Amino acid sequence: MRILVTGHLGYIGSVLTPMLLEQGYEVVGMDSDLYRASTFTEGLVSVPTIKKDIREATIEDFDGINAVLHLAALSNDPLGYLDRELTFDINYRAAVRLASLSKQAGVSTFIFSSSCSSYGGGGEEMKTEESAFNPLTPYGESKVLAEKEIGALADENFSPTHLRNATAYGVSPRLRFDLVLNNLTAWAYTTGKVHLKSDGSAWRPIVHIEDISRAFIAVLKADRAAVHNQAFNIGVPRENYRVREIAEMVRDIVPDSELRFAEGAAADTRCYRVNFDKAMSVLQHYQPEWSARRGVEECYLAYKQHGVTLEEFEGPKYQRLAHIQRLIAEGIIGTDLRFRESDTTLLAA
């Protein structure tokens, strides 16, 4: 099977791609490589790459492709606020256009990387795939809109599946420090303080990026009838935590660290607990392996081995919003997030 992975050079994509290759899939990537300066560790694998913004995709890009795994997006709430319409343009309109081009090209399988943030202010109630959407941010809204319109393209020849991923964590060749578990562990390692900017009462479901990748592979292996135009919450049972519980876990694992709340810390309105029973029961090949505690240990050891500094942690290299803002300020990309010099060549593996 020949698979096109959009965003294959990003935080999740750089972990998913080698896992696909290990399973025997042929992989082609599509990525503008916006985060080329954000490499943390070795491990980026070389595959044929269409180096372009997903907004510039053409039907020819899907020649010979059997399945599309669409990850590329402006990922996380702060980055989504940079420009609301730009977030919608990339995460919503470009995603729907990509699905439409896939369908026109005869691609049968389209797996969309959605988000549990679509549940937004969900409160204490466990959210299933049938729960109402309640996005509180442009990022969450964009995912909801994209799901609805991609789903409307489904027919006997085109089968989309929506994976609503919990908040990701874990070490990647293209690391991010702007994710709760990664962030708190970095605070603890670099300062000795597990720094909470909220009161820590909000619920978050969290999942390792390897387990998210396993979910994509599980959908590829599933019977079409089981996943056709279906949504799945992707995470691990018993891995819903209040943010302060994650912070306490970090404190207990990172030596000589202590919990600290920012002055005036208040409750985060983004609060949701998520049920993952559907994925666990329907996706027979989905067998998550990680826990939050093991994830903190992984991050701590990686930061220690790398020698992460406070300056590096707080700087723009691994913070998506700050990185984008620096690229704009330096004139490398425009405010539309396109590189000043376009390069859409197909790079040989």
Side-chain angles (χ1 to χ4, degrees):
M1 180 181 284
R2 195 163 189 250
I3 297 171
L4 175 66
V5 180
T6 71
H8 74 295
L9 296 174
Y11 176 60
I12 298 174
S14 59
V15 171
L16 171 60
T17 297
M19 291 177 67
L20 289 167
L21 294 173
E22 289 171 5
Q23 292 289 319
Y25 295 105
E26 181 182 354
V27 179
V28 176
M30 179 184 289
D31 203 309
S32 66
D33 206 8
L34 201 58
Y35 303 109
R36 64 186 64 171
S38 300
T39 302
F40 180 71
T41 63
E42 295 180 359
L44 283 173
V45 297
S46 180
V47 297
T49 298
I50 305 168
K51 190 180 179 185
K52 65 167 58 173
D53 190 303
I54 58 168
R55 291 171 289 181
E56 312 302 330
T58 65
I59 196 167
E60 290 77 18
D61 295 327
F62 302 91
D63 288 347
I65 298 297
N66 305 112
V68 173
L69 278 52
H70 179 43
L71 280 72
L74 294 183
S75 295
N76 83 357
D77 293 328
L79 184 54
Y81 279 117
L82 179 66
D83 183 326
R84 180 186 179 90
E85 279 308 306
L86 185 61
T87 297
F88 282 15
D89 190 34
I90 295 172
N91 291 8
Y92 161 42
R93 300 183 190 98
V96 174
R97 180 174 176 272
L98 205 72
S100 180
L101 287 172
S102 301
K103 181 176 179 177
Q104 293 173 48
V107 176
S108 60
T109 299
F110 189 93
I111 308 177
F112 176 55
S113 188
S114 191
S115 173
C116 284
S117 66
S118 59
Y119 300 121
E124 298 287 327
E125 179 187 352
M126 278 284 190
K127 299 298 178 181
T128 71
E129 290 80 0
E130 303 305 316
S131 298
F133 291 127
N134 185 27
L136 299 179
T137 65
Y139 173 73
E141 290 179 53
S142 70
K143 292 297 187 179
V144 170
L145 291 169
E147 269 199 43
K148 290 179 178 179
E149 291 201 24
I150 292 170
L153 296 171
D155 61 19
E156 63 274 12
N157 298 313
F158 183 70
S159 185
T161 303
H162 316 286
L163 300 186
R164 297 176 188 162
N165 304 316
T167 299
Y169 68 86
V171 176
S172 161
R174 289 283 169 85
L175 185 66
R176 289 175 58 182
F177 282 142
D178 53 3
L179 295 162
V180 61
L181 186 147
N182 296 3
N183 179 273
L184 293 176
T185 307
W187 272 115
Y189 174 71
T190 59
T191 71
K193 311 288 185 183
V194 187
H195 184 67
L196 278 176
K197 296 181 180 179
S198 72
D199 68 0
S201 63
W203 285 98
R204 283 289 188 284
I206 60 176
V207 62
H208 196 281
I209 48 179
E210 285 186 6
D211 288 335
I212 292 175
S213 299
R214 289 185 177 94
F216 277 91
I217 294 169
V219 173
L220 289 173
K221 292 182 175 182
D223 291 338
R224 182 181 188 274
V227 298
H228 176 69
N229 207 16
Q230 292 291 307
F232 295 92
N233 294 331
I234 300 302
V236 182
R238 299 180 302 280
E239 290 286 292
N240 283 278
Y241 295 98
R242 293 190 187 275
V243 173
R244 66 169 173 262
E245 292 176 325
I246 302 173
E248 289 165 355
M249 198 180 304
V250 171
R251 178 199 60 198
D252 293 343
I253 292 171
V254 178
D256 303 317
S257 61
E258 61 182 20
L259 191 59
R260 182 181 67 182
F261 292 87
E263 186 176 348
D268 190 338
T269 56
R270 299 168 300 165
C271 176
Y272 45 92
R273 302 172 68 201
V274 178
N275 179 291
F276 303 107
D277 290 350
K278 182 178 178 181
M280 297 299 296
S281 61
V282 176
L283 301 178
Q284 296 181 4
H285 296 279
Y286 178 56
Q287 298 177 356
E289 297 183 3
W290 285 82
S291 67
R293 179 168 292 276
R294 184 178 164 209
V296 173
E297 292 169 347
E298 178 202 33
C299 288
Y300 168 62
L301 291 174
Y303 301 165
K304 185 176 180 180
Q305 182 177 11
H306 183 84
V308 171
T309 64
L310 179 61
E311 181 181 14
E312 189 176 29
F313 162 51
E314 291 192 315
K317 187 173 183 178
Y318 304 116
Q319 307 274 0
R320 291 299 188 248
L321 175 57
H323 181 76
I324 293 296
Q325 290 173 324
R326 184 182 69 176
L327 293 180
I328 293 173
E330 294 178 353
I332 297 172
I333 61 175
T335 55
D336 61 356
L337 307 193
R338 289 181 169 93
F339 282 97
R340 294 296 192 184
E341 295 183 6
S342 177
D343 181 2
T344 59
T345 54
L346 180 65
L347 305 178

